[in-house]
Structures are given as structure tokens and as C-alpha cells.
Amino acid sequence: MTTKLWGARFAREIDPFFEKFSSSIAADYRLAKCDLIGSFLHIHVLKGAKLIAAGDFAKLKKGLLSLLSDVDKGRFAYDFTSEDIHTNIQNALLKKAGPVAGKLQTCRSRNDQVVFDTKLYCLINGARLQESIFFFRKTLLALGNLHSSLVMPGYTHMQHAQPVYLKDYCSAYALMFERDAQRLEDALMRLDISQGAGALAGTPIPSSIYKAQIKKALDALKMPGLAKLVGPCENSLSVVSDRDFVAELLSLLAIMGMHISRLCEDLVLWSSREFGFIEIGDEYCTGSSLMPQKKNPDALELMRGSAGILYGNLISVLVILKGLPLSYNRDMQWDKEPLFSSLELIESELVILSGLLKTIKFNKANIEHQLGDESLCATDLADHLVASGVPFQEAHKVIGKLVRHSLKTGKKIKGMTQEELNLFSKKLNKREVLKRLNPYFCASSKKSVR
Ligand code: ARG
């Protein structure tokens, strides 16, 4: 293990097994860029508070910018024997800027650093996720529009219910993801990224200096937009002990995973031989090592199942936080893997699902075959009776009997004569009945939704 940010107080070395166990760099290396941005803001604050001289500031600034560029270019030398990314960066700065690096930790602690880094990471990745959701919704809507006249059986209780348009199906899913995007937007607005909490009690630097210097530093980084979202902290105890933002993000990602899971299940069903409504592109399926004929929708199954991971990540964090006394406790370190895991899962799933949707081919003959089930139009037949003055409950009974008769005798309603229809109700008009037994008519006659 490399140099730590602490140690003088201890008479003996840390147990090597515990040292490895306590290290978080395998997960928090992802925070490198955010940590460097935080340090860049912090040296401006130290300079503004006259805690470092102009010469030291210049050296620290040069070192940090050079490390930032290393991270951006993928050249940063991660040291996976470090305790965490903060230690790794501190040691890397020592190499770049020399002993002045020792001044960077003035008036700050990893307790506030880790919150700053994680919140900024959520902001940056949340904004990227907003874009992915936007493009995914566009793909869903485009699929519906490409087949805008396609009608298919709609289901309740997984039983034939009424004919619906595929495009409405697609936009129902698009609406789920629109709500997800709104929840994300809301959570990002609440991030409240701050500096100055220190270990838990704040620092001797006035908040006005934080305010002015953070703004200056963000301008220098050409990130002026962030100035609205980053500022001095309001309550230092709250800053270092709060992980609500992690739980909130994981919660909306879990809901999103549930939406993805439901969509995947519909597509798995539709691609089964029993439904035969769609064929998914070979690009997103795999075969069997034993059964030569198999084409399995593994991509959909993996995404359907990943809701379990997403829910688990949320539950992990909620349980880790439960009962923690104020303020910082090391337990909180366990929030990283669930957070990164959920963000990365959802990001890749939106990419894979967008690609998969574009490969779907509809098997119109099989859909048409299922639409041949006249019972899908039963409600429209009842509406026909209602139009000629029959109370709905009475109409419901008449059509129920008619459907039962048709099922029992195997005789299609379409093939019944006017006389046969009269046996159920004199108000049943053969011409109207034929018109309403057309699933396309049924789907297009639903005016409340357009
Ligand atoms: N790795 C820690 C975390 O993720 C931050 C470091 C704080 N460590 C400490 N001993 N105070 O929460």
C-alpha cells in the first residue's frame, strides 16, 4: 500500500488484510475527475482566504490541471493499492507539484470531499442519462410511428381484451420513461453540491470567500453553468452525513429498471412461438450449445432480470444508512458500488434496448390471426346496442350470451343471420354488427384518447 493521508497517531502498522478490505479505490477511482475539480475549487478558496501564497497556488493549480488532463486523456496512473481515490490523487499531486501538495488538505476532509465528488459525479452522469432517456424515448416512438396503422390484441389479465394500436403501446412505454426523466431532473436539482463542511464542523473560512472563489474557479475551468449548483454549505453536519441523494437516485433507477423489465417481458412474450408477433434481430439473441435450432432472447432476459440488481442496490443503500448516527460514518463507503452499478446498468440497457428495438420485425399474419378472435370486439358490440337505447348492463348481458353461444357452437358471430341475431336482441343490426366486428374499426373508434 502507498502513503496514507493519516498515520502519525498510530504506533503500529495497519493489518494488511484489513487494509485491503477497507480500500475503496476499486469503485471510487471513477470519481477522479470530480475529485480534481473539487481540489481545483478548494485551492481557489485557500488562496482567497490567504491560507496559501500566490506561488504555492500557481504550483498547485498547474499540478491539478495536469492531473485533470491525464484523467481526461486516460493517462492517469491509478494506484489500486491506495486507500481511496482521494489518497491516490494526493500522492499523484505530490509527484507533480512537490511538497506544496501537502497544503491541499488544509481546511478539508475526505468526509466532505467524497460527498462533493459523488454529487458532482451524479450530476454529470445524470445529465448524460437524461440524454440517453431522450434518445430511447425517440426510438420507442419511432417504432410506433413506423407501424402507425398496426393494430394488435390488447390484454388485461393476459387475456384478449380489446384491439389497440401498436403506436399507443409504444407511447405508453415512452410515457413511463418521460416520468423517469422528470424524476431524474428533480433529483439532480436537489443535489445541493457544496464545499466547506470539513470533517463535520465546517472550516474557519467565511462562506463569502467560498462563494466568490468557487465562482472564480468554475469560470477558470470553463464550467460557469455549475456556479448555480455549487456553493458554500448550509449545514456541515448535514453535508457529511447525507446520502439521501444516493438513495433517491437509486430509487428512480430502480423504477426505471422496472419499466425496462416490463417492456422486455412484453417483447419476450411477443417473440415466443405461441404469440409469434415479432422477430428480434440475431444481433440481440444467442443460441444453445445443445439444441441447434434455438434462438433465445437473452438480451431481453438479462435486462428483465437486472431489475433485481437495481432493487437490491436501492435496498442495500437504504439498509446501510438505517440507524446511522450523525454525522459521517465509514459505513457510508458501501454506497459506491450500488450507485455505480445501477447507473452503469441503466446506461448500457438503454443503448442495447434502443438497438434491439430497431431490429424488430412484426409478423403481421400471426397478429392478424389473433385479431380474428371476435371476442376482442365484444365491448364494441355492446356499445352498438347502447347507441340504440339499450342500458349498458343489459347490452353487456346480451353480448355475453352471444359470445358464449358462439364459443359453444363454434359458429362465428360474423356468420350469423339477422334472424339468429334477433334471438339475442331485436336491436342487434347485422350490418352494424359486421362493422363493429372489425378490430381496425374498434381501435379507431376510441376517441377519448386522441
Ligand atoms: N472512502 C470514504 C467513503 O466513501 C471516504 C473517506 C472518508 N474516510 C475516513 N476515514 N474519514 O465514504
Side-chain angles (χ1 to χ4, degrees):
M1 286 270 174
T2 49
T3 323
K4 295 184 187 48
L5 299 180
W6 49 270
R9 186 237 175 276
F10 293 86
R12 287 184 303 282
E13 285 297 313
I14 189 168
D15 172 82
F17 194 74
F18 164 57
E19 185 175 28
K20 220 167 163 190
F21 172 79
S22 71
S23 164
S24 56
I25 192 151
D28 65 22
Y29 76 91
R30 296 170 177 86
L31 298 176
K33 186 175 175 142
C34 299
D35 197 74
L36 285 162
I37 293 174
S39 295
F40 189 80
L41 267 50
H42 186 59
I43 58 165
H44 281 74
V45 172
L46 291 180
K47 182 170 150 253
K50 304 204 178 355
L51 287 168
I52 51 172
D56 286 349
F57 172 77
K59 280 188 212 153
L60 288 168
K61 181 173 167 186
K62 192 166 162 229
L64 288 173
L65 288 177
S66 156
L67 290 174
L68 252 180
S69 140
D70 287 352
V71 169
D72 279 342
K73 295 192 174 117
R75 289 198 305 233
F76 182 79
Y78 290 101
D79 173 7
F80 287 98
T81 64
S82 297
E83 185 179 333
D84 50 34
I85 188 62
H86 324 295
T87 310
N88 188 171
I89 285 179
Q90 179 65 43
N91 290 333
L93 186 65
L94 186 67
K95 278 201 197 121
K96 287 249 184 207
V100 67
K103 300 199 173 185
L104 182 64
Q105 289 305 111
T106 318
C107 289
R108 78 166 177 177
S109 151
R110 284 175 297 164
N111 298 358
D112 68 340
Q113 234 177 304
V114 75
V115 179
F116 176 93
D117 297 1
T118 314
K119 284 185 171 177
L120 186 57
Y121 184 91
C122 289
L123 183 71
I124 293 170
N125 286 275
R128 252 212 357 232
L129 185 56
Q130 288 282 28
E131 264 177 52
S132 308
I133 301 174
F134 177 79
F135 285 113
F136 178 62
R137 287 182 48 231
K138 253 174 92 165
T139 313
L140 263 173
L141 294 171
L143 179 70
N145 288 335
L146 188 65
H147 305 279
S148 58
S149 57
L150 184 70
V151 169
M152 56 198 306
Y155 298 80
T156 60
H157 314 268
M158 269 321 282
Q159 305 293 319
H160 275 188
Q162 289 183 288
V164 293
Y165 284 105
L166 169 78
K167 69 173 189 301
D168 289 337
Y169 218 95
C170 291
S171 77
Y173 275 107
L175 283 166
M176 294 183 204
F177 291 99
E178 187 178 327
R179 296 194 292 272
D180 293 329
Q182 288 165 357
R183 273 185 279 269
L184 177 57
E185 174 83 22
D186 195 47
L188 297 183
M189 282 300 116
R190 230 193 317 280
L191 277 174
D192 192 19
I193 308 174
S194 71
Q195 290 213 320
L200 78 163
T203 76
I205 306 170
S207 67
S208 56
I209 294 186
Y210 278 99
K211 203 170 173 164
Q213 294 301 324
I214 287 173
K215 193 180 163 339
K216 214 182 227 177
L218 288 172
D219 281 345
L221 283 175
K222 299 199 171 44
M223 295 176 158
L226 267 186
K228 275 198 298 272
L229 304 164
V230 186
C233 74
E234 214 180 294
N235 179 316
S236 53
L237 287 169
S238 161
V239 170
V240 299
S241 54
D242 170 31
R243 295 293 182 279
D244 290 5
F245 67 99
V246 177
E248 195 174 358
L249 214 61
L250 288 177
S251 146
L252 71 89
L253 292 172
I255 294 176
M256 207 166 174
M258 176 265 287
H259 292 155
I260 290 175
S261 190
R262 294 182 72 170
L263 174 58
C264 289
E265 171 64 357
D266 268 331
L267 298 178
V268 168
L269 284 174
W270 292 358
S271 69
S272 68
R273 177 157 299 232
E274 283 64 24
F275 273 76
F277 287 181
I278 58 170
E279 165 124 23
I280 297 157
D282 286 1
E283 301 89 323
Y284 296 98
C285 296
T286 67
S288 154
S289 54
L290 184 79
M291 300 168 281
Q293 85 285 8
K294 291 285 273 172
K295 176 176 168 182
N296 300 324
D298 293 34
L300 294 170
E301 294 168 294
L302 283 166
M303 292 188 276
R304 182 178 61 188
S306 75
I309 310 278
L310 294 158
Y311 296 178
N313 287 341
L314 167 64
I315 298 300
S316 289
V317 167
L318 287 176
V319 179
I320 288 163
L321 294 175
K322 175 195 165 294
L324 283 188
L326 248 53
S327 62
Y328 178 80
N329 299 275
R330 190 70 180 270
D331 315 45
M332 290 168 168
Q333 176 169 297
W334 294 119
D335 69 348
K336 304 290 171 314
E337 274 172 39
L339 175 67
F340 298 138
S341 143
S342 287
L343 273 169
E344 286 163 21
L345 251 180
I346 290 281
E347 265 291 352
S348 12
E349 291 185 358
L350 291 182
V351 173
I352 295 169
L353 211 38
S354 292
L356 185 149
L357 286 181
K358 288 182 191 138
T359 70
I360 288 181
K361 300 256 175 307
F362 283 87
N363 187 332
K364 304 215 166 113
N366 285 344
I367 296 174
E368 205 59 48
H369 178 70
Q370 287 302 325
L371 286 176
D373 170 15
E374 293 179 327
S375 74
L376 283 163
C377 304
T379 312
D380 295 77
L381 292 182
D383 284 346
H384 153 50
L385 290 178
V386 167
S388 38
V390 182
F392 182 77
Q393 283 198 330
E394 175 60 26
H396 190 282
K397 257 186 220 152
V398 170
I399 304 302
K401 282 182 190 156
L402 181 61
V403 168
R404 181 145 57 92
H405 174 73
S406 159
L407 288 173
K408 209 168 114 199
T409 59
K411 194 165 185 182
K412 287 277 208 181
I413 302 172
K414 260 185 199 141
M416 295 181 191
T417 61
Q418 180 64 60
E419 288 67 35
E420 283 172 287
L421 291 173
N422 288 347
L423 296 174
F424 295 90
S425 165
K426 295 262 177 340
K427 297 257 168 85
L428 277 171
N429 174 291
K430 165 104 183 158
R431 204 166 46 86
E432 274 300 317
V433 167
L434 282 182
K435 188 168 102 187
R436 284 157 192 270
L437 280 174
N438 177 347
Y440 295 90
F441 172 85
C442 299
S444 67
S445 67
K446 303 298 175 292
K447 307 292 185 204
S448 63
V449 291
R450 252 159 281 279

